[in-house]
Amino acid sequence: FFSTYGQRLLATNFTDAIQTFTMGSSSTFSDLSAGAPLARYVSQLKDFTVAGNTYDAIDGNVPHRVRWCAVGDPTTWTVSASTQADYQDLESSNGWVKQVYGGEYGVIFQERAISRMNYIGSPIVFQILPVETGRGLLASGGSVKIGNFIFYLGLDGFYVFDGNQSIPIGENKINMTFFNDVDLSYLDRICSTADLDKQVIYWSYPGSGNSAGLCNKILMYNYAPNA
């Protein structure tokens, strides 16, 4: 997964250290920091890089954790009240962190919950409050953020999250067709993207007749007003 921090392009895959590439000056990716955790997901939230579903040498694998760097410095991750670098463990019964999104506020998707992450400053730094429980992200690649809206594939269908609630967009339209077709053995292959010019979101997934889990179906959703 990729994110940006100023002129930095950040990349993470949970196997290698978080990678950084400074646009306009770097020629190759390099390790972001020796102190940064391994992470499945990264995003920029205000002046912080936020990592979700992490591993570090002290606590090991903590799939329900979100962790953030020092304010204004994505290379510093040591927990400190002065730099505001810290972490928070979410309710483990809601499952793994499946995706994180930044902006003016953060949104954290777990398997069975959606939380909002608000900056409040020291000593707490971020207040993380569950907005919805019992509803989360089915596949890590199944969500797209456009402005303040996040379109996502949930456990029971397609939704758009507006920062406060999830609104169904697939009910009585495509949900039943999708779940009758998708190969549940390869949910990790699902991916999504948006065409901003055409105002269309694409979900690619392995459906019936796929070969070894390859994505062979695409769903398209026109999110234009009154579409």
Side-chain angles (χ1 to χ4, degrees), residues 42-223:
V42 290
S43 187
Q44 182 177 355
L45 173 51
K46 290 186 177 291
D47 294 323
F48 299 85
T49 291
V50 177
N53 197 326
T54 65
Y55 172 92
D56 62 63
I58 297 175
D59 294 332
N61 186 25
V62 189
H64 55 282
R65 173 173 291 179
V66 288
R67 188 170 169 181
W68 53 91
C69 69
V71 59
D73 183 2
T75 66
T76 299
W77 292 80
T78 301
V79 173
S80 167
S82 60
T83 68
Q84 301 187 40
D86 208 341
Y87 67 86
Q88 185 169 327
D89 292 338
L90 308 184
E91 177 57 57
S92 61
S93 64
N94 289 326
W96 288 19
V97 171
K98 301 283 283 187
Q99 193 55 271
V100 293
Y101 286 102
E104 285 302 304
Y105 57 85
V107 176
I108 306 165
F109 283 91
Q110 289 176 265
E111 293 172 285
R112 292 176 294 278
I114 305 172
S115 299
R116 180 163 165 155
M117 190 174 181
N118 296 311
Y119 178 75
I120 58 174
S122 295
I124 296 175
V125 188
F126 284 103
Q127 181 185 54
I128 302 177
L129 298 173
V131 177
E132 298 193 43
T133 56
R135 179 178 291 141
L137 187 60
L138 180 64
S140 298
S143 60
V144 176
K145 187 175 189 289
I146 301 174
N148 291 325
F149 297 93
I150 302 173
F151 297 83
Y152 74 95
L153 171 59
L155 302 177
D156 59 351
F158 294 88
Y159 294 87
V160 57
F161 181 72
D162 64 4
N164 297 298
Q165 64 178 337
S166 293
I167 303 164
I169 59 174
E171 188 175 0
N172 298 322
K173 296 178 181 178
I174 197 65
N175 288 349
M176 186 177 297
T177 299
F178 170 79
F179 282 108
N180 285 337
D181 187 47
V182 66
D183 189 335
L184 297 175
S185 300
Y186 297 102
L187 291 176
D188 60 313
R189 306 288 179 86
I190 293 174
C191 57
S192 54
T193 190
D195 185 328
L196 301 182
D197 291 332
K198 293 182 174 62
Q199 295 184 297
V200 172
I201 298 172
Y202 301 88
W203 280 275
S204 174
Y205 70 94
S208 59
N210 75 81
S211 175
L214 295 178
C215 292
N216 61 341
K217 304 288 182 67
I218 296 177
L219 293 178
M220 295 178 286
Y221 175 73
N222 188 333
Y223 62 89

Side-chain angles (χ1 to χ4, degrees), residues 9-54:
L9 176 63
L10 304 180
T12 188
N13 62 4
F14 198 65
T15 299
D16 303 297
I18 298 174
Q19 298 290 293
T20 180
F21 183 98
T22 301
M23 290 175 278
S25 61
S26 294
S27 57
T28 61
F29 279 92
S30 60
D31 291 354
L32 174 65
S33 166
L38 297 182
R40 294 187 187 274
Y41 316 106
V42 290
S43 187
Q44 182 177 355
L45 173 51
K46 290 186 177 291
D47 294 323
F48 299 85
T49 291
V50 177
N53 197 326
T54 65

